[in-house]
Amino acid sequence: MPSSQAAVDHSATVMDSNPPFFATYKSLFSSRASMNHEAELLAAECDLPLVDLSRLNSKLEAKQCKQDIITAATEWGFFQMVNHGVSNSLLARLRRQQVKMFRQPFKKKVLDFSDDSYRWGTPTATSLKQLSWSEAYHIPVSSANKLARTSTNRCVIEEFSAAMAQLANQLVDTLAEGLGRDGTYIKENCTRNSCYLRLNHYPSCPLPGEVFGLVPHTDSDFLTILCQDTVCGLQLNKAGRWVTVKPNPNALIVNIGDLFQAWSNGLYKSVEHRVMSNPHLERFSVAYFVCPSKETLIQSSALPAIYRKFSFGEYRLQVQQDVRLTGHKVGLTRFLA
C-alpha cells in the first residue's frame, strides 16, 4: 500500500535563526534547570486502535465499525483510521507545500500569510517546561483563500480542508449516535467559519531532554484529525503513563477534544498529549480542529451532568487566563457542575 506522506529529508541542521529560539528565550535558557526527560524520551511505543473506515460502507460491517470508533473514543480518546477517503496524492501535495513554507527564511515565513497566522515558540513561557520548540501556521478555514499569498497554497489548503470537513462530519455522526444523540447540533455549529488548520513544524532541537516540541495539553475542540509524518514524537497519557504513538504512514489520527468530553458527559475522553523534541530529526504534521463558534453552548443531555453549561467563548477565555496566570491549561475542571 503506498504511503500517504511525501518523501521528506528529515536530517535538518540546527539553526538558531529560524526560528530564533535561543535569542528570543535567552533568559529561560540561561537559567535553565533540566526537566530530566531522558526516561520519557524512551517511552514504550503503542499502536493506537485501528479503524478501517471503509467498513462503514458495508451493511455487514458498518455496525461493528461504528462500535470500534465509540469504544476507542471511550477507552483511549485516540484512534487511527485507514481507508479514510482522503487521497494519498492530496496528502503528499500538502506535505510538499508545508515543507517549502517552513524552509523559507524566518522573515519570509512571517509574511507568508496575511494576518498573524505564523506562530512559533510560547510567548507566555516563564520556564523551559512551558516552552514549545515548534512553529506553525494557524489558518482559519474560512480565511484560507484570503490569507494564503500563493495560489498553490490556497488550492491545496482548500481541498484538504474540504476533505477533513467531510470526514469530521462522518465521525461526529457516529460518535453522537453512540450517545443516543444526533450530530446535527455539532455539525451546524462547527462550520468553515469556526474550524481551522494548523500546519506544524518541529525543528531538530539540541536540548531534547529539556524542551518539549509541544507542551502537554488537551485540545479545546470537539475533534482533531491529525496527519503526521513518520518521525516519532507524539505521546499520550494512557492510565497515568506516557506512551509514544507509533507512526503509521497510511493512517490519520483522531483525538477527542474537551468539548466532546463535556458534551458526552465524560464518556468520551479528551486525553492529555504532547510532542517530544528530537535532537536529530525535524517533524511535520497537519491538524484539523473541529471548533464551534464562540456563542455555541456546550451542555450534556445526561443527568446528573458532570459539567455545567458553558459557551465555547467562555471556555477559551478561561483557558487563556489560566495559561497566562499559571503557565498551563487547566481545562474542564474549571467547569465542573
Side-chain angles (χ1 to χ4, degrees):
M1 192 173 195
S3 169
S4 63
Q5 312 297 335
V8 175
D9 177 10
H10 292 285
S11 55
T13 302
V14 176
M15 293 186 296
D16 182 49
S17 60
N18 193 8
F21 289 106
F22 284 118
T24 304
Y25 297 101
K26 183 178 180 180
S27 62
L28 301 186
F29 287 105
S30 62
S31 60
R32 75 183 192 262
S34 175
M35 291 190 292
N36 201 18
H37 284 332
E38 282 76 8
E40 294 167 349
L41 287 168
L42 301 174
E45 283 190 349
C46 73
D47 288 305
L48 294 176
L50 181 65
V51 175
D52 182 346
L53 219 59
S54 67
R55 295 163 62 211
L56 286 177
N57 300 319
S58 166
K59 290 183 179 180
L60 295 177
E61 297 186 86
K63 184 177 180 180
Q64 185 57 52
C65 182
K66 290 180 180 180
Q67 187 56 54
D68 290 346
I69 292 171
I70 293 164
T71 300
T74 302
E75 297 181 357
W76 280 78
F78 270 79
F79 58 94
Q80 54 187 338
M81 306 178 297
V82 293
N83 296 321
H84 39 67
V86 183
S87 73
N88 290 344
S89 62
L90 172 58
L91 296 176
R93 282 190 289 123
L94 178 65
R95 183 55 43 79
R96 284 194 296 270
Q97 287 304 117
Q98 181 181 9
V99 171
K100 279 184 184 179
M101 291 161 67
F102 283 115
R103 288 189 176 164
Q104 296 180 108
F106 179 65
K107 289 183 178 180
K108 284 191 176 182
K109 284 189 279 193
V110 175
L111 299 173
D112 213 6
F113 284 75
S114 56
D115 204 5
D116 62 343
S117 295
Y118 177 68
R119 304 171 185 185
W120 64 281
T122 311
T124 59
T126 57
S127 65
L128 285 187
K129 68 180 181 180
Q130 297 171 9
L131 175 63
S132 293
W133 191 278
S134 54
E135 56 182 340
Y137 287 98
H138 180 106
I139 308 170
V141 173
S142 61
S143 304
N145 274 333
K146 293 183 292 184
L147 294 178
R149 293 189 180 277
T150 70
S151 59
T152 305
N153 284 348
R154 282 196 296 270
C155 289
V156 71
I157 288 172
E158 191 65 29
E159 189 177 346
F160 180 76
S161 298
M164 290 296 103
Q166 183 176 351
L167 189 55
N169 284 342
Q170 196 173 22
L171 294 170
V172 164
D173 282 337
T174 297
L175 291 166
E177 185 179 323
L179 302 171
R181 302 180 69 176
D182 184 270
T184 301
Y185 181 79
I186 296 176
K187 291 188 293 183
E188 286 181 346
N189 286 282
C190 296
T191 67
R192 60 181 287 110
N193 292 323
S194 54
C195 296
Y196 67 93
L197 288 179
R198 189 174 174 94
L199 310 183
N200 301 303
H201 176 223
Y202 302 91
S204 55
C205 175
L207 302 169
E210 301 179 48
V211 184
F212 290 111
L214 188 62
V215 297
H217 66 287
T218 57
D219 289 351
S220 301
D221 61 355
F222 275 102
L223 280 177
T224 304
I225 304 176
L226 180 74
C227 173
Q228 63 171 353
D229 64 15
T230 56
V231 176
C232 282
L234 177 63
Q235 294 186 344
L236 61 91
N237 196 319
K238 176 66 172 168
R241 178 171 164 263
W242 288 102
V243 294
T244 299
V245 175
K246 187 177 180 181
N248 181 340
N250 297 304
L252 296 176
I253 291 176
V254 177
N255 66 277
I256 299 296
D258 298 344
L259 304 187
F260 230 136
Q261 177 168 320
W263 202 70
S264 69
N265 206 37
L267 180 64
Y268 300 148
K269 304 299 187 296
S270 180
V271 173
E272 189 177 31
H273 52 285
R274 65 190 185 187
V275 176
M276 303 303 291
S277 55
N278 190 306
H280 307 297
L281 302 175
E282 61 182 340
R283 181 175 178 272
F284 295 91
S285 69
V286 183
Y288 179 84
F289 295 90
V290 182
C291 291
S293 63
K294 292 181 181 179
E295 300 77 23
T296 301
L297 294 177
I298 310 301
Q299 182 177 21
S300 171
S301 62
L303 294 174
I306 297 175
Y307 307 102
R308 66 173 177 84
K309 181 168 66 175
F310 58 88
S311 71
F312 181 50
E314 180 186 4
Y315 189 73
R316 284 187 60 188
L317 182 61
Q318 184 64 61
V319 168
Q320 291 165 0
Q321 289 176 346
D322 286 335
V323 170
R324 189 165 56 249
L325 293 174
T326 70
H328 66 276
K329 174 183 173 181
V330 179
L332 284 174
T333 54
R334 293 283 196 203
F335 294 84
L336 294 172

